[in-house]
Amino acid sequence: MGIKNFMGKRAEPEKPKEEPISVKDYMTENLVTFRENENIMDVMEKLIKHGISGGCVVNENMELLGMISEGDCMKQISDSRYYNMPMSDLTVEKRMIKKVETIDGNMNVLEAARKFTELKFRRFPILQDGRLIGQISQRDVLRAALKLKAHTWNY
């Protein structure tokens, strides 16, 4: 006669809930965007109104054409004053950055943090099928790091 075990079957240990960790989980999707023919003065008003430091320049199909920032506007203010030129006829197209670095929405958000520190950018657009679908900022990465609470930082 064998020994009977009255403990019953042990339950499988519960796996910790996996936190979302990709850029698309933390990106901003409701973006303030700009158009090439938009006046720099209007850009400055939008930046202030929405409390942002810059944004993507897109066409009617949401294809990324460039980026415009507070710094680009500041440069224009300085140049206009120095050369005594009116700002009323200056468009985004003349001041925007046309060579834009983007990030894949599937990239690990902590890997994105490394890209921010290496390239010294404040924001990266995220494209899907050639169209702008979102943007991730340094603040979004900080928010992700706080939510992840360091327990999933090994990737």
Side-chain angles (χ1 to χ4, degrees), residues 128-143:
Q128 183 175 314
D129 300 323
R131 297 178 60 187
L132 180 69
I133 61 162
Q135 175 178 283
I136 191 151
S137 68
Q138 291 180 357
R139 183 168 294 157
D140 296 326
V141 173
L142 293 178
R143 189 170 39 90

Side-chain angles (χ1 to χ4, degrees), residues 31 33 56 58 62-64 125-128 130-134:
L31 300 175
T33 58
C56 298
V58 295
M62 289 304 284
E63 295 166 325
L64 183 65
I126 294 114
L127 305 180
Q128 183 175 314
R131 297 178 60 187
L132 180 69
I133 61 162

Side-chain angles (χ1 to χ4, degrees), residues 68-83:
I68 189 86
S69 70
E70 288 173 325
D72 300 322
C73 294
M74 293 293 286
K75 174 92 170 94
Q76 184 53 45
I77 291 168
S78 176
D79 287 354
S80 291
R81 180 169 163 77
Y82 184 78
Y83 297 109

